[in-house]
Amino acid sequence: MFKLISELLRLKDFEQVKHAIVLKNDTSGTEIMNYKQITIGEIKLTGICLAVPPKSFGANHNLTLYIYKAPLNKETLKKIKNKNFKGSLQLIGKIKEIENEEETQYIEVEFTQFDPQNWKSFYNDYTHAQDTIQDYIEAGEAE
Amino acid sequence: MSFDKNDKKNKHIVDWFRNKSAVIYEPASMNRTSIKKMLIVYGLNMDKIYVPETFVDAKDFIANEKPDIVFTRDDNKGEKGLDLLDLHIETIPNRLNTGFFLVSEDNSPSISAVVLDTEVDGILTLPFTGASLEKIIKLGLKKKYKPNPYNKMIEEAKGKMVQGDVEGALQILKSASDMNKTPVLSNCYIAKILISNNDEKEAEEMLLENLNQNTKHYLSLKELAKLYKHQSRFKDQYDMTSRILDEYAMNPEKIPDLTKLSIQNEKYEDIWNYAKVFSTIKTPSLKITQFISAGLAICGRFMVKTSRPDEGKKAILKSAKMAHGKFEILKSLAESLLLIGDKEGASKLLNDHANENTDEIALEVFQFEIFARESLTPQTLERGRKLLNSEFKAPEIYQILIEKLISGNMKIGIIEEMVDSAKKDFPDLSDQFQQLLEKAQSNAA
């Protein structure tokens, strides 16, 4: 007759696409190495919007981003602690816009040095995730 | 931005957005700005976009100003976007000229279930791209930009159902069904009305006929599963749920229900499988994690009750790790361990996994409840009195103490004294404490 319900569950339906970011403010010399303090907002064609701790950046500051696929394993976390960023997608950029709130600073970064191919791949990961959800919705709404 | 509002092909879309108003409740300011800009690209006037500071402001604005379009976070520190949806539907029951979008950190395919199961039109998942934002607005509302007569009638009927005019809705739906060769959707809504009128047999026939025409029709499958659950036809519910899951992603909120359904159908292999499957998800969202935790808790309870304590404990500990300190789950897990006499395990679980998200008072009360079960009356009294002199003073502490005094056959005078204190500290609950006293007095008599 029918399969067991548990056999019909698809793991991929519950998996998210996520990345973790750590960064260095190349202008001030400060850094944010705790990925939990950085949230990605909008991903642009040649830039990215992030939420970071307050007062992390000033206008036109330069920064280097290190982007990792989540979840981060212990080995990667150890490497980051030792300032070894091998395996990350590295991008250099400049602060284009800042919005300051009490508990968060929102920054828009415009890239000045990056690999367009790698960035496109990262960008597409997220459009693909959204497209998949849209496909599932359209399948369910079909009459 | 690729949407061109000056392109003649897009005129019907721009016409739809013209003169409409919107509210955007999204904590990240840059996200808000992007959503606002995109709505303007689609033809909304920038002066008609309201950005509330708080959830309460958003609610007030929706209730009073009735904005046509809403963008809201699905969960902002406990504030639920779906509560705004309920309010929006109440204020504008006919959804033909409205748009409701959630913004969510969960970008797993299972989030699609929220759109299928509610009147949400689309979900913007984070992080997002401009292309995605444009797409969800275009596709999420595509049936509304130029609705055909059939869809117009269905939306009108749904609006009437919200307003309580069931007869009016039924008339419109029947006309809609008459005008369509395969009226699966309108018949689905007729079936819902039949169920609410207790014509369950006719509703079931209608829904089964729908599935003859479209074996995968999501709403019909869902309504049948719901009907079978209501009728306690667990086997039929299981079979219908299998059909849904064969085609569609499961709404993670249903994880606990699914586990219960498997138990009701004695499909015990499901239980072992759930415990395995759920714990292998690499990047679950916070919401999914908590529902998985609840599902694992049910698995764990079942396993310990059916004499598989080792597997049960594994599921329980896994659940505790994923519970994120949610008290209701931790309590259920601790109770499962207490069922097999593992008091130490229960206590350790609570201590190890309670965190800043755990309701401190509820936790303290529960730990006291466990203590009271296992301890003699004098020790319980001593610990209870300490709690009543601390920040954990709660009516439940009094309840536990009074019940312990009663079961310990203490003198009625002592019980009366405790009840008087309870009434003094919590006068609103005097009746409840009085009932306990009367029980003690009738025992003593």
Side-chain angles (χ1 to χ4, degrees):
Chain A
M1 214 358 197
F2 295 110
K3 280 187 192 168
L4 286 177
I5 281 176
S6 55
E7 289 170 349
L8 292 166
L9 291 178
R10 288 170 293 267
L11 271 183
K12 66 180 172 75
D13 287 350
F14 302 103
E15 294 284 6
Q16 300 183 91
V17 174
K18 290 293 173 197
H19 288 78
I21 300 184
V22 295
L23 57 80
K24 282 192 295 191
N25 182 332
D26 296 320
T27 303
S28 69
T30 56
E31 54 189 32
I32 305 172
M33 289 292 138
N34 180 357
Y35 67 91
K36 292 179 185 176
Q37 293 183 306
I38 302 171
T39 309
I40 310 174
E42 186 176 352
I43 300 166
K44 298 193 177 236
L45 290 169
T46 54
I48 194 167
C49 296
L50 302 173
V52 294
K55 298 181 187 171
S56 297
F57 291 94
N60 297 316
H61 278 196
N62 293 311
L63 64 158
T64 306
L65 299 175
Y66 305 95
I67 304 183
Y68 295 88
K69 194 139 176 55
L72 297 182
N73 59 30
K74 280 189 185 151
E75 200 190 318
T76 307
L77 288 167
K78 203 173 171 184
K79 277 188 187 166
I80 292 171
K81 205 171 174 187
N82 294 328
K83 303 292 187 302
N84 174 358
F85 302 109
K86 204 172 168 189
S88 69
L89 169 60
Q90 297 188 20
L91 309 116
I92 295 175
K94 201 179 190 65
I95 300 292
K96 186 179 172 189
E97 262 187 62
I98 298 185
E99 286 182 34
N100 289 307
E101 292 186 3
E102 210 176 302
E103 289 175 26
T104 312
Q105 185 179 63
Y106 296 101
I107 55 173
E108 184 184 338
V109 181
E110 182 73 34
F111 299 137
T112 51
Q113 268 185 63
F114 69 109
D115 182 320
Q117 200 94 314
N118 284 340
W119 184 249
K120 194 88 214 284
S121 172
F122 174 81
Y123 182 98
N124 286 341
D125 278 350
Y126 286 97
T127 49
H128 180 71
Q130 182 80 67
D131 286 347
T132 303
I133 291 163
Q134 196 59 39
D135 289 344
Y136 275 51
I137 291 169
E138 291 189 3
E141 288 181 342
E143 290 172 48
Chain B
M1 311 227 177
S2 57
F3 180 80
D4 179 3
K5 66 182 174 196
N6 297 314
D7 187 337
K8 284 185 190 152
K9 274 193 308 195
N10 293 329
K11 184 179 180 304
H12 63 295
I13 298 176
V14 177
D15 285 347
W16 191 90
F17 277 97
R18 185 175 296 121
N19 298 324
K20 284 201 165 52
S21 57
V23 66
I24 304 172
Y25 183 62
E26 159 57 33
S29 61
M30 284 187 172
N31 294 350
R32 281 199 300 268
T33 305
S34 294
I35 294 169
K36 194 172 177 176
K37 282 183 181 168
M38 186 59 74
L39 288 172
I40 293 168
V41 161
Y42 270 86
L44 216 68
N45 188 319
M46 66 187 285
D47 296 332
K48 291 205 166 184
I49 301 174
Y50 175 66
V51 175
E53 285 205 15
T54 67
F55 192 66
V56 172
D57 287 343
K59 279 174 112 168
D60 286 344
F61 190 81
I62 289 171
N64 300 323
E65 305 301 325
K66 303 188 200 308
D68 309 287
I69 298 162
V70 178
F71 268 85
T72 174
R73 209 38 104 90
D74 60 345
D75 193 331
N76 183 32
K77 296 176 189 164
E79 294 166 346
K80 304 286 184 196
L82 290 181
D83 288 344
L84 293 184
L85 174 66
D86 289 342
L87 181 59
H88 199 228
I89 292 172
E90 216 180 287
T91 53
I92 312 177
N94 186 328
R95 310 301 292 165
L96 209 52
N97 285 304
T98 65
F100 194 99
F101 295 89
L102 293 176
V103 181
S104 179
E105 285 183 350
D106 180 356
N107 66 5
S108 67
S110 66
I111 196 78
S112 57
V114 178
V115 176
L116 297 179
D117 291 347
T118 68
E119 291 294 327
V120 170
D121 293 300
I123 297 197
L124 179 68
T125 57
L126 300 174
F128 68 100
T129 63
S132 293
L133 175 54
E134 189 198 317
K135 198 169 185 178
I136 59 138
I137 295 175
K138 194 168 185 182
L139 296 179
L141 301 176
K142 73 170 186 244
K143 282 190 177 156
K144 300 187 182 187
Y145 295 136
K146 232 190 215 168
N148 58 40
Y150 177 69
N151 284 325
K152 264 192 197 170
M153 289 168 87
I154 290 177
E155 291 303 326
E156 197 188 334
K158 282 160 67 185
K160 284 195 180 285
M161 279 160 78
V162 167
Q163 290 168 312
D165 180 7
V166 176
E167 272 315 306
L170 198 52
Q171 267 182 10
I172 297 172
L173 287 168
K174 282 181 175 169
S175 303
S177 290
D178 287 341
M179 69 166 23
N180 196 309
K181 276 187 208 162
T182 50
V184 171
L185 189 58
S186 46
N187 282 350
C188 205
Y189 285 107
I190 292 174
K192 277 176 83 118
I193 292 176
L194 291 173
I195 291 167
S196 67
N197 290 344
N198 296 319
D199 285 331
E200 290 176 5
K201 196 165 177 341
E202 204 185 328
E204 185 182 353
E205 280 167 12
M206 194 163 244
L207 291 167
L208 288 170
E209 178 50 36
N210 268 3
L211 292 179
N212 280 339
Q213 295 191 45
N214 178 355
T215 55
K216 299 178 190 180
H217 189 243
Y218 180 79
L219 280 183
S220 299
L221 289 167
K222 209 181 71 135
E223 284 303 316
L224 269 169
K226 202 168 140 190
L227 176 63
Y228 294 146
K229 181 180 178 180
H230 167 73
Q231 293 175 335
S232 300
R233 288 163 64 181
F234 300 127
K235 186 187 175 312
D236 291 328
Q237 185 193 353
Y238 191 95
D239 290 344
M240 202 50 59
T241 305
S242 297
R243 283 178 72 167
I244 297 172
L245 292 178
D246 206 13
E247 298 294 337
Y248 304 107
M250 187 183 65
N251 186 336
E253 290 180 16
K254 300 284 183 242
I255 292 172
D257 284 344
L258 219 59
T259 3
K260 283 179 200 158
L261 182 62
S262 295
I263 292 172
Q264 281 158 340
N265 280 275
E266 296 178 0
K267 303 275 187 189
Y268 302 127
E269 208 181 318
D270 272 338
I271 309 300
W272 321 142
N273 286 345
Y274 291 144
K276 266 192 294 185
V277 162
F278 292 151
S279 51
T280 57
I281 297 170
K282 284 192 235 121
T283 54
S285 66
L286 179 60
K287 182 172 83 166
I288 286 176
T289 305
Q290 286 185 334
F291 285 117
I292 290 170
S293 176
L296 281 169
I298 295 169
C299 288
R301 172 74 65 107
F302 174 75
M303 286 173 181
V304 301
K305 278 169 94 169
T306 55
S307 311
R308 292 200 188 212
D310 291 338
E311 281 177 87
K313 278 184 191 176
K314 264 193 208 157
I316 285 167
L317 288 175
K318 187 81 198 178
S319 171
K321 279 188 193 148
M322 298 176 101
H324 285 270
K326 198 163 166 153
F327 173 69
E328 291 74 17
I329 297 178
L330 295 181
K331 182 178 175 185
S332 163
L333 295 170
E335 280 173 345
S336 295
L337 290 175
L338 290 171
L339 269 177
I340 50 170
D342 189 358
K343 287 167 263 177
E344 208 179 295
S347 190
K348 187 171 189 308
L349 183 141
L350 292 171
N351 288 332
D352 287 351
H353 297 286
N355 60 24
E356 63 276 6
N357 295 327
T358 312
D359 181 336
E360 272 184 27
I361 293 180
L363 178 63
E364 202 60 47
V365 166
F366 179 55
Q367 284 175 316
F368 179 57
E369 192 186 328
I370 298 173
F371 180 84
R373 273 188 237 168
E374 307 293 324
S375 307
L376 297 171
T377 310
Q379 284 92 335
T380 306
L381 208 50
E382 188 188 339
R383 182 162 164 171
R385 283 193 170 127
K386 273 193 191 141
L387 285 170
L388 290 173
N389 284 326
S390 73
E391 75 263 38
F392 298 112
K393 183 191 247 182
E396 292 87 350
I397 305 284
Y398 272 119
Q399 175 97 14
I400 294 164
L401 277 171
I402 294 166
E403 284 173 348
K404 189 71 177 177
L405 292 174
I406 295 171
S407 66
N409 291 318
M410 299 302 275
K411 287 186 183 154
I412 196 70
I414 298 176
I415 300 173
E416 280 169 353
E417 223 178 278
M418 186 63 69
V419 169
D420 283 343
S421 288
K423 283 181 185 177
K424 200 169 148 200
D425 282 340
F426 298 100
D428 290 346
L429 299 169
S430 294
D431 288 345
Q432 178 184 316
F433 297 127
Q434 181 61 24
Q435 275 180 19
L436 287 172
L437 178 59
E438 283 164 15
K439 179 179 162 190
Q441 284 163 341
S442 73
N443 286 351

